[in-house]
Amino acid sequence: MARLTFLGAAQTVTGSQYLLEAGGRRLLVDSGMFQGEKELRLRNWAEPGFPPAGVDAVVLTHTHLDHIGRVPRLVKQGFRGPVYCTPPTQELAEILLLDAAHLQQEDAGYLNRKGLTKHSPALPLFDEEDVREAMELFRPVPLARPQEVNHAFSFAYRDAGHLLGAASADVLVREDGRETRVLFSGDVGRFDAVLTRDPDLAPEADYLVVESTYGNRTHPELPVLDQLEGVLKKTFARGGVLLIPAFAVGRAQQMIYLMDELVTQGRVRAFPIHVDSPMAIDATRIYASYPEASKVSLNNIGGRSLLHGKWIHLHRTRAESEALNKMKGPSVIISSSGMLAGGRILHHCRQRLPHPENTLLITGYQAAGTLGRALLDGAHVVRIHKGDVPVLAEVRDLKGLSGHADAGEMMRWLSGVRGAPRGVFVTHGEAEAAAALAARIERERGFAARVPEHGESFDLAPGAAGGPGPEVL
Ligand SMILES: [Zn+2]
């Protein structure tokens, strides 16, 4: 009987990795990095519960590191099969994995230099060479095109919204002449989101593996353009600089688009936007090269490419970045990292936070312990690069840009499923969020839903093609 094992994102939001086994073959759906608490991060180093060389293929849902970050290590450990993903995911994965390798090599080097590690020497989880080897195995598969993997598995991608290239994986498992359809949601985006398209509704399936990042939450209705217009006008009236820390893939493009939209609508006079992040520049070019994959083409706004607008300035080199220190407002600087955990944004913070005419605009979730969280909580002085920096600039929070469907939107996504599946597995959420969504699915839809534990396996009864099987859940 086919078997499904949960090797990540079980009662947590990171480390997505699901193992399907049937007919002597193995397929991994996602292979993401664990992030956050040390106890979770240590799992990145654990021996996998399967022989990597014995995995036939990996199917990736999208390019976020918590879905792809364990791929280079898998390759290092002997995996040689194809890594399937959508075409934009392939391009974005290369820049994100290379950046992650670079950061890990830097961290390991720092720990070794300072003698701060019990391991001698401290090693990165993977390096740039590992990423290049892994990228050789990537095979792009467009949305909605059925892809044969082997006699046991085939799949097709469905649009999941969420991020450029993000998809749900609709997997068909064949064993003993019988078929079982297993739908992996991946990360499901919001309906009516900025830039990303609405997710395709879930299809009929024998089993569903469903994300629950906001399984117990409802996003407030807040018009993003109105908020942003207010922040821009107030900052510019003071002659200030608006500093926007933004994740280089996804959020940076949304922010550029929103500001362009305000200018196009005549709500704000044109102003210079400085994109100070080579990764954000590369990612924006990739966005622009897939005009059909987003709701709005970044390549053709008012007949021109967004990146080539007269008011957009791109900064790749360190010297260009430093030259911004002398710049006066009104203007905007977009830089990463999004949680102010590192990167060029820190230099800009050191430069701009001590001056009351400026504004720092937070645009996404800030984890506990990050500089972004401290600033949102109203810190008057923060420590950056070993120096105390007084915070006199205004700090604002732009709400409403979440990349994830909330609980109600997940139910809307599930409305595509008419017949009761044999089972729904709720993953990719903290324990309470996952339990809340599972309970809601049972209550409102009458589907058998459960929250698997890390490492837990389930036998999958064959689906309609094989006649009624036993209820597994
Ligand atoms: Zn994601």
Side-chain angles (χ1 to χ4, degrees):
M1 197 180 274
R3 213 168 159 70
L4 172 61
T5 305
F6 294 87
L7 298 170
Q11 303 184 22
T12 184
V13 290
T14 64
S16 283
Q17 191 183 54
Y18 311 115
L19 176 66
L20 269 172
E21 294 169 284
R25 298 302 186 113
R26 292 190 187 92
L27 180 80
L28 279 177
V29 175
D30 282 340
S31 227
M33 207 188 264
F34 287 99
Q35 295 165 315
E37 303 288 328
K38 187 171 183 192
E39 187 191 327
L40 281 174
R41 282 185 283 123
L42 284 174
R43 285 187 187 162
N44 292 323
W45 295 90
E47 286 302 311
F50 52 84
V55 173
D56 296 282
V58 177
V59 175
L60 299 178
T61 60
H62 67 290
T63 199
H64 279 146
L65 273 188
D66 63 313
H67 294 259
I68 66 170
R70 276 193 280 170
V71 171
R73 191 164 163 80
L74 206 60
V75 174
K76 206 170 170 173
Q77 290 171 325
F79 169 74
R80 288 291 176 273
V83 178
Y84 296 109
C85 62
T86 64
T89 296
Q90 180 178 13
E91 289 193 53
L92 292 170
E94 183 162 13
I95 58 174
L96 278 167
L97 285 173
L98 283 173
D99 182 68
H102 183 69
L103 287 176
Q104 289 179 60
Q105 283 167 278
E106 269 186 357
D107 284 352
Y110 176 79
L111 292 175
N112 290 329
R113 277 197 310 281
K114 299 278 175 189
L116 292 174
T117 172
K118 285 180 285 184
H119 314 278
S120 54
L123 296 170
L125 196 57
F126 52 85
D127 60 22
E128 287 170 26
E129 192 47 44
D130 298 328
V131 173
R132 295 198 194 284
E133 264 177 52
M135 291 313 301
E136 299 281 314
L137 303 175
F138 276 55
R139 302 283 178 271
V141 177
L143 291 178
R145 196 182 79 187
Q147 174 70 42
E148 283 297 318
V149 178
N150 50 39
H151 67 81
F153 305 110
S154 61
F155 73 94
Y157 282 128
R158 304 169 63 86
D159 200 332
H162 184 59
L163 182 79
L164 179 68
S168 302
D170 189 357
V171 181
L172 203 57
V173 183
R174 290 178 292 262
E175 197 173 42
D176 304 327
R178 306 201 288 187
E179 294 186 334
T180 310
R181 193 170 174 187
V182 189
L183 190 277
F184 295 84
S185 72
D187 287 1
V188 178
R190 300 203 61 188
F191 291 85
D192 302 315
V194 176
L195 228 48
T196 54
R197 292 198 305 209
D198 284 357
D200 289 340
L201 297 185
E204 303 295 330
D206 297 303
Y207 294 91
L208 291 118
V209 178
V210 176
E211 76 123 319
S212 60
T213 312
Y214 290 103
N216 54 353
R217 300 252 292 273
T218 302
H219 294 311
E221 290 290 335
L222 292 161
V224 179
L225 271 180
D226 295 350
Q227 293 174 70
L228 183 60
E229 180 183 1
V231 172
L232 285 167
K233 283 184 168 163
K234 203 168 162 203
T235 308
F236 292 169
R238 295 191 297 249
V241 173
L242 178 65
L243 207 51
I244 305 181
F247 191 59
V249 178
R251 190 55 41 86
Q253 291 73 33
Q254 286 177 317
M255 293 309 300
I256 297 169
Y257 166 71
L258 286 169
M259 288 189 280
D260 190 87
E261 193 61 21
L262 282 172
V263 173
T264 305
Q265 291 181 13
R267 293 165 66 171
V268 181
R269 277 173 61 182
F271 53 90
I273 300 174
H274 298 269
V275 183
D276 185 25
S277 157
M279 190 157 69
I281 297 169
D282 291 339
T284 310
R285 282 195 205 291
I286 296 171
Y287 262 77
S289 68
Y290 290 97
E292 73 294 345
S294 295
K295 206 156 56 183
V296 184
S297 160
L298 290 190
N299 210 18
N300 191 19
I301 292 179
R304 60 173 172 77
S305 159
L306 189 62
L307 272 185
H308 295 109
K310 166 164 88 155
W311 298 93
I312 302 261
H313 306 273
L314 307 176
H315 305 278
R316 281 189 181 273
T317 68
R318 188 164 289 265
E320 287 168 338
S321 175
E322 280 164 8
L324 290 176
N325 288 347
K326 296 200 184 70
M327 182 188 68
K328 298 241 181 322
S331 62
V332 170
I333 299 175
I334 300 177
S335 193
S336 50
S337 74
M339 290 195 207
L340 301 114
R344 291 180 179 181
I345 189 72
L346 293 184
H347 297 279
H348 296 303
C349 279
R350 210 173 48 180
Q351 196 71 26
R352 305 289 174 181
L353 290 182
H355 303 285
E357 69 273 24
N358 301 326
T359 305
L360 176 80
L361 182 63
I362 300 283
T363 59
Y365 175 74
Q366 304 295 306
T370 58
L371 177 59
R373 170 51 48 194
L375 285 162
L376 268 185
D377 288 346
H380 294 297
V381 179
V382 289
R383 211 157 164 79
I384 300 174
H385 296 148
K386 294 184 190 143
D388 286 334
V389 178
V391 183
L392 293 166
E394 189 179 352
V395 177
R396 295 283 297 272
D397 189 9
L398 187 70
K399 294 198 172 73
L401 282 176
S402 173
H404 288 270
D406 65 14
E409 288 170 313
M410 285 308 295
M411 296 309 292
R412 178 171 167 190
W413 178 79
L414 272 171
S415 70
V417 183
R418 301 264 157 65
R422 288 177 190 281
V424 179
F425 298 98
V426 181
T427 61
H428 200 291
E430 299 299 341
E432 289 141 49
L437 187 63
R440 185 163 175 182
I441 291 169
E442 293 206 318
R443 192 172 64 242
E444 292 183 14
R445 300 299 309 276
F447 300 166
R450 66 178 293 164
V451 179
E453 283 177 28
H454 184 67
E456 203 173 358
S457 290
F458 297 85
D459 288 333
L460 303 183
E471 277 296 331
V472 170
L473 296 179

